[in-house]
Amino acid sequence: MPVKAVRRTPPPNKQASSKPTPAQPAAPPPVFQPVRTRRGFEAVCDQIRQQLARGELRPGDRLPAEKDLAEQFDISRSGVREALRSLEAAGLVEARTGIHGGFYIHSGNSSGLTQTVQDLVSLGQVSIANVTEARVELMKVAIRLACARATQQDLDAIEVDIEHHTELFREGHGSRNTKSVIEFYRLIARATHNDVIVMMVDALSELIRALLARVDPQPRKDIMQVRRKVLALMRERDAQGAADAMELHLRHVSDYLESENRKTERKRKMAA
C-alpha cells in the first residue's frame, strides 16, 4: 500500500469565523509504480520529479521511509539510497535529522543549480569565460529591474550589508572564503522581486566566489567603494549608471579570473 507524504499543517487562523466549514477532500497519497529497469534509481528519480511537476508532491513534504520506498518501487534499499542521494545533489530533496528526520522535498534554493554549472565547468563543457560573461549580463538585468522595483527597505538592506563588510575589511576579516561576501549581489537580486533571478544570481555568484577563492582569497581593495557607488546610483533610480558601474567592476574581476585560469592551464601543460 502506498504511503502518503507528510504534509505540513498550517497554524489555525485565530480570526477565522466560528461557523463550521465543510470538510475538504483529502489529497490522494503519492503512488509510485514498481521499477523494471537495470538502473532502477534513475526511474525512482523520474517518478518523484513527475509527481513534483504534477503538484502531487510539494515543498516541505516528507517522503516515505527508505524501506517503504523500496517496497513501493520494488527495488533494493541501496537503489533507493542512490536515488535520494542523486535528488539531494540536484537540490530537490534535503535530509533532516532528529525526531522528525527523513527526506523532505526541498523548499528551494540555488545549490543544485550551482553544483550543475560547477560540474559542467569541471568537465570542460562550459568555459569560465561563459560563466563570467553570463554573470555580468545577468547582474545588469538585475540592477535595471531593481532600480524600477526596489523598495526603500530593499535598498536599506543593501546599505546595511555594505556597512557590515566595510567593517570586516577594515578589521582584516574580509575574505572570499566566506559566502557572506556575495550577499550584496543576492540582495540586489531580491530587490527585483523575481525568484528566478535570485536563484540564478545566487548560483553564478557562488560559483565565481569559489573559483576566485582558489586563486586569491582577498577581494579587490576597491570592492566596497564600487558597491557604495552602485547603491548610490540605484537610490537615484539611475539604472544605466548603476548597471555600467557594476559591469565595469565585474569585468575587471572576470578578466583577472580568466587570466589566472590561463596561467594555471599553462603550468599544468608544462608539468604534463
Side-chain angles (χ1 to χ4, degrees), residues 19-256:
K19 295 181 181 180
T21 56
Q24 298 296 320
V31 178
F32 298 112
Q33 301 299 319
V35 170
R36 304 302 181 196
T37 175
R38 296 172 65 181
R39 293 177 64 83
F41 83 93
E42 292 181 344
V44 172
C45 293
D46 288 343
Q47 286 198 42
I48 290 176
R49 283 189 167 97
Q50 289 166 9
Q51 294 215 9
L52 274 169
R54 293 194 298 265
E56 296 167 9
L57 286 172
R58 295 176 294 182
D61 285 354
R62 185 174 66 185
L63 292 176
E66 180 185 294
K67 177 178 178 293
D68 297 325
L69 285 173
E71 291 176 355
Q72 289 189 37
F73 286 114
D74 193 21
I75 64 172
S76 66
R77 293 178 69 167
S78 63
V80 170
R81 284 194 292 272
E82 190 172 1
L84 292 174
R85 284 195 295 267
S86 175
L87 292 169
E88 186 176 21
L92 292 179
V93 304
E94 60 179 336
R96 300 180 188 174
T97 58
I99 298 176
H100 301 292
F103 279 90
Y104 289 76
I105 301 300
H106 210 295
S107 299
N109 62 31
S110 63
S111 59
L113 179 58
T114 303
Q115 188 60 56
T116 298
V117 179
Q118 174 66 72
D119 290 343
L120 292 173
V121 171
S122 299
L123 292 169
Q125 296 181 16
V126 172
S127 69
I128 292 178
N130 287 161
V131 176
T132 56
E133 180 182 49
R135 187 198 185 199
V136 169
E137 296 304 319
L138 178 60
M139 285 307 306
K140 288 164 61 179
V141 171
I143 283 180
R144 290 193 178 97
L145 288 175
C147 283
R149 302 174 181 176
T151 64
Q152 189 64 42
Q153 186 177 6
D154 291 331
L155 298 174
D156 289 345
I158 296 172
E159 185 165 4
V160 168
D161 180 73
I162 291 173
E163 294 298 335
H164 171 66
H165 283 90
T166 297
E167 187 61 27
L168 285 180
F169 278 51
R170 185 181 297 119
E171 296 173 354
H173 300 312
S175 172
R176 290 189 176 115
N177 289 327
T178 59
K179 292 186 178 183
S180 69
V181 76
I182 57 174
E183 181 66 10
F184 170 76
Y185 303 106
R186 185 172 194 273
L187 290 171
I188 290 177
R190 288 181 61 184
T192 69
H193 299 274
N194 182 311
D195 291 338
V196 175
I197 288 180
V198 174
M199 288 189 290
M200 293 175 68
V201 166
D202 273 354
L204 293 180
S205 296
E206 170 54 22
L207 178 55
I208 295 297
R209 181 204 65 79
L211 291 171
L212 285 167
R214 297 177 191 174
V215 176
D216 184 358
Q218 295 303 315
R220 289 169 55 95
K221 293 181 180 180
D222 65 344
I223 186 172
M224 288 302 127
Q225 291 90 327
V226 172
R227 292 183 178 186
R228 287 184 187 281
K229 180 178 181 180
V230 169
L231 176 60
L233 291 166
M234 289 179 66
R235 285 193 182 279
E236 295 172 4
R237 306 294 172 171
D238 183 353
Q240 189 61 54
D244 288 347
M246 176 66 81
E247 179 179 13
L248 181 62
H249 168 67
L250 292 182
R251 289 203 183 280
H252 284 322
V253 173
S254 299
D255 290 345
Y256 170 70

